[in-house]
Amino acid sequence: MTATSQSAGPVLVDTPRPDDVGPVYRPDRRSVNWWLTALVAVCALTVLIPLYFTVVTALKTPDQLGGTGFGLPTSARWENFAEAWTLTSFPRALLNTGLVTVGAVLLTLLTNSMVAYAIARNLHRRFFKGLYLYFIAALFVPFPIIMLPVVKQTAILGLDNQLGLILLYTVYGLSFNIFVYVAYIRSIPLELEEAALTDGATTWTVFWRIIFPLLGPMNATVGILTCLWAWNDFMLPLVILSDPSAQTLPLAQFIFQGQFNTNYSVAFASYLMAMAPLLIVYIFAQRWVISGVMRGSSK
Amino acid sequence: MSTDVSRPARPGTPPPALRQDRRVPRVFYLMVLPAVALFAVFHTLPLLTGMFFSLTNYAGYGEWSFVGLQNYANLFGDDRIYGAYGFTFLFAIVSTIAVNIIALAVAIALNGRIRFKTGFRGIFFIPNILSILIVGYVFNYLFSNSVPAIAEALGITSLTTSILASPDTAWIGVVILSVWQAAAFNIIIYLAGLQTIPTELYEAAALDGASPWKQFTSITFPMIGAFFTINMVLSLKNFLQVFDQIISLTAGGPGTSTESISVLIYRGGFQGGEYGYQTANAVIYLFVIIAISFIQLRILQRREASF
């Protein structure tokens, strides 16, 4: 996560405010509706109960399993985590997932924004308009449709590894990211660029020094969505990776499940460890994450 | 996620600086060409190779020869294909409707006069940051062990066996998991939509004595029409590709009752020596998805425009 949401200054037409931490609710003159609050709290339990269940199951000894499984563990068995740590090669899977995610996010932000800029500023030309439609049309092609040939191709090119995953996330992200970036870039007035060009700056400089910093809020949105996708994706690692040492976290869970599917408490400890990193980041950055996702959806 | 999918930005007027010189700065081509080349190699080329191999009897290895449209003819007589399409559509339609009703209801509640708004919003988004596969393993255990145990304690005989164990009910488990996971994202999109509605409208409606239901049907729903469209189209498209949920929850079973099209392409193509045959399946599937997305957009946008 490198992108930071920064204020874009007064030049933009519809930029988020500098204190962009989610939408601002107008202070309500009327009273709080406690019945509704209680109802929402009950609904929120549907999200929290499976998480609670995962935590308590991960801490139990095998003989405490059974029943409804919602009871608290009588004595926490921390060895579950130690066993899961070695059985799933957790550190290696974590490193692979981290590497792929960071790589995909960085490469996506640097390349997709640039492609979108070139397209957005030349949409009146047939070539770029065609390119725009070409990328957008691909939104309608689900991955399973091209899955079989892609796997053959990546294997031939020697990309059946972490590097290949980074590349594929970046390339497949183009469709959607160009869509949101172009909409955003077109709301940035041209005067800035024209002034810079008149002063002798190259288009290249204009993009990296003026436009890219202005894209801060959109970079945050694209970065967050790419991060969630690359971190949690199961299908691409499943079909692309050939070497077991390249396994990502979800794939490691899948392999583990196939091998040791009876040892539930160790399995749950392993699930918990796989979910934890992103969950911890999210707890600290949730306002920022949600406002980023919202911004992407209201464009 | 812009709200007018079908109407890409109209060609702008060229900036004055560029209008005087008709040449596009070469650097713009340099900016797009590597990306276009990579996209063509990793997206368009596989699409075309897939179409090519769908006309062969290629198993994924070894020799192959042309068989013309034989694969396509075989698809139409294949019960397993019909089963996969049947399950996928039943699942996708039920999940799309359920997820949109639930997400809209939760978003309206979150937008209402409640306390701890930000906290609740944060909680409801959690499912979207977890891997569906891993959540699926957790739900698998819940459905197989906890729910029957609870039903036993409460004396509900119909639920004492796992819903995943029967071909008739296993799909419901997949729906529950998918809706639990997908609602998170849709709630956020609906919330973004609800915040575009000026509160003055509600105040005026309340003064005129409009009931909450009337306010919903006359103000809320029409005003978030575009968000409803985008959510319906994206949900259906995503649910039609269901894969992770099946792998972790039912592995396609019992039998092949919960085998989705994606799972079938994966299994037949990688493990069943049906490379050519499953690429033909993928080609048909592509046309189906495109047709459905377009029909949906047409219908929903006409509905939007009529307000």
Side-chain angles (χ1 to χ4, degrees):
Chain A
M1 304 304 276
T2 51
T4 49
S5 186
Q6 42 177 258
S7 103
V11 285
L12 292 196
V13 179
D14 59 340
T15 46
R17 297 170 322 284
D19 56 338
D20 182 31
V21 283
V24 168
Y25 298 104
R26 290 188 189 80
D28 216 313
R29 287 180 303 277
R30 290 160 304 179
S31 59
V32 170
N33 184 338
W34 286 104
W35 285 114
L36 191 61
T37 308
L39 184 71
V40 170
V42 171
C43 291
L45 285 178
T46 56
V47 172
L48 296 175
I49 284 173
L51 293 177
Y52 160 83
F53 180 80
T54 311
V55 174
V56 295
T57 311
L59 288 168
K60 287 178 178 173
T61 52
D63 55 300
Q64 295 176 43
L65 293 171
T68 60
F70 284 99
L72 285 164
T74 42
S75 60
R77 186 171 183 272
W78 299 102
E79 291 86 351
N80 290 340
F81 291 93
E83 281 170 37
W85 181 275
T86 48
L87 283 174
T88 61
S89 310
F90 180 78
R92 199 182 59 192
L94 181 68
L95 191 70
N96 285 332
T97 302
L99 178 78
V100 169
T101 305
V102 171
V105 169
L106 286 179
L107 198 59
T108 298
L109 290 178
L110 294 177
T111 57
N112 291 11
S113 58
M114 186 176 66
V115 177
Y117 172 67
I119 289 179
R121 285 295 179 246
N122 294 287
L123 261 185
H124 53 281
R125 298 175 204 276
R126 196 175 305 151
F127 173 76
F128 289 92
K129 175 94 186 170
L131 275 190
Y132 180 71
L133 294 175
Y134 169 60
F135 283 121
I136 302 300
L139 275 175
F140 290 97
V141 183
F143 179 70
I145 288 163
I146 55 173
M147 174 168 69
L148 300 172
V150 165
V151 172
K152 278 245 179 290
Q153 233 172 271
T154 45
I156 292 167
L157 296 169
L159 287 170
D160 45 1
N161 49 28
Q162 297 93 326
L163 183 66
L165 281 182
I166 293 174
L167 188 68
L168 289 182
Y169 287 129
T170 307
V171 171
Y172 292 153
L174 274 167
S175 284
F176 176 75
N177 297 337
I178 282 178
F179 194 61
V180 289
Y181 272 129
V182 165
Y184 194 80
I185 291 169
R186 291 176 61 74
S187 70
I188 300 177
L190 287 163
E191 283 74 17
L192 273 176
E193 289 152 72
E194 283 168 2
L197 288 171
T198 317
D199 290 345
T202 62
T203 308
W204 208 251
T205 319
V206 167
F207 175 72
W208 288 115
R209 302 294 291 277
I210 299 177
I211 301 296
F212 193 75
L214 284 182
L215 290 177
M218 222 55 206
N219 285 337
T221 299
V222 169
I224 290 164
L225 293 175
T226 308
C227 171
L228 289 174
W229 177 34
W231 185 281
N232 287 325
D233 188 41
F234 166 62
M235 198 173 203
L236 268 176
L238 172 72
V239 298
I240 297 292
L241 299 174
S242 58
D243 187 354
S245 69
Q247 276 171 21
T248 59
L249 282 170
L251 189 56
Q253 306 310 310
F254 173 69
I255 307 286
F256 176 78
Q257 183 75 15
Q259 288 169 322
F260 310 94
N261 58 1
T262 49
N263 197 342
Y264 282 115
S265 26
V266 175
F268 272 69
S270 156
Y271 304 152
L272 195 58
M273 289 197 300
M275 291 191 215
L278 216 51
L279 207 51
I280 292 166
V281 171
Y282 175 73
I283 287 169
F284 288 105
Q286 58 110 348
R287 285 175 152 234
W288 185 72
V289 168
I290 291 181
S291 65
V293 173
M294 269 188 162
R295 196 180 313 111
S297 63
S298 52
K299 263 281 153 275
Chain B
M1 208 170 304
S2 158
T3 50
D4 64 354
V5 178
S6 66
R7 299 185 295 272
R10 57 181 198 292
T13 43
L18 297 174
R19 226 172 296 160
Q20 289 141 16
D21 115 48
R22 296 206 151 266
R23 289 175 305 111
V24 189
R26 192 179 309 155
V27 65
F28 281 130
Y29 288 111
L30 287 177
M31 282 181 176
V32 295
L33 286 178
V36 174
L38 283 171
F39 197 81
V41 168
F42 288 104
H43 196 281
T44 311
L45 182 63
L47 195 61
L48 298 174
T49 11
M51 287 180 176
F52 172 81
F53 277 109
S54 73
L55 304 172
T56 70
N57 64 358
Y58 187 43
Y61 44 83
E63 305 280 307
W64 53 269
S65 57
F66 270 105
V67 293
L69 294 175
Q70 192 56 48
N71 284 329
Y72 292 91
N74 293 348
L75 281 175
F76 282 99
D78 183 341
D79 283 344
R80 201 170 168 188
I81 297 277
Y82 281 115
Y85 273 83
F87 162 76
T88 306
F89 273 87
L90 171 74
F91 160 81
I93 290 168
V94 171
S95 300
T96 300
I97 293 170
V99 90
N100 277 284
I101 291 174
I102 290 169
L104 187 53
V106 171
I108 287 172
L110 280 177
N111 207 35
R113 290 177 289 123
I114 61 165
R115 278 295 300 273
F116 318 118
K117 270 188 177 158
T118 318
F120 281 131
R121 207 180 54 176
I123 291 173
F124 279 112
F125 193 66
I126 289 175
N128 197 63
I129 61 157
L130 303 175
S131 152
I132 307 184
L133 182 87
I134 297 175
V135 173
Y137 287 134
V138 173
F139 272 59
N140 186 334
Y141 188 87
L142 280 169
F143 286 140
S144 310
N145 301 294
S146 301
V147 173
I150 294 169
E152 195 98 39
L154 298 175
I156 309 167
T157 43
S158 58
L159 285 175
T160 47
T161 49
S162 163
I163 57 169
L164 301 180
S166 155
D168 299 328
T169 53
W171 69 276
I172 298 171
V174 185
V175 168
I176 293 172
L177 166 64
S178 305
V179 168
W180 185 87
Q181 209 273 338
F185 199 81
N186 289 321
I187 287 170
I188 296 299
I189 298 181
Y190 278 132
L191 263 179
L194 290 170
Q195 279 160 9
T196 62
I197 307 177
T199 44
E200 290 75 18
L201 285 178
Y202 292 109
E203 284 159 15
L207 284 177
D208 293 341
S211 65
W213 176 248
K214 183 76 187 154
Q215 289 184 22
F216 172 76
T217 54
S218 308
I219 302 172
T220 311
F221 199 68
M223 292 290 281
I224 58 165
F227 291 86
F228 177 72
T229 303
I230 197 102
N231 265 342
M232 289 294 277
V233 174
L234 287 176
S235 313
L236 190 63
K237 182 175 149 284
N238 291 337
F239 286 140
L240 285 172
Q241 298 175 51
V242 60
F243 184 83
D244 302 26
Q245 294 94 317
I246 314 266
I247 297 290
S248 58
L249 211 54
T250 64
T256 54
S257 61
T258 56
E259 194 172 56
S260 71
I261 304 169
S262 303
V263 172
L264 181 57
I265 292 174
Y266 168 74
R267 285 191 176 160
F270 286 118
Q271 298 153 2
E274 300 178 329
Y275 189 95
Y277 184 58
Q278 292 302 344
T279 48
N281 183 13
V283 171
I284 297 282
Y285 178 45
L286 172 64
F287 286 127
V288 167
I289 289 210
I290 290 177
I292 287 176
S293 297
F294 274 94
I295 292 168
Q296 250 190 317
L297 280 174
R298 289 297 294 271
I299 292 175
L300 290 167
Q301 287 191 324
R302 191 169 310 142
R303 195 192 53 77
E304 262 178 64
S306 67
F307 282 112

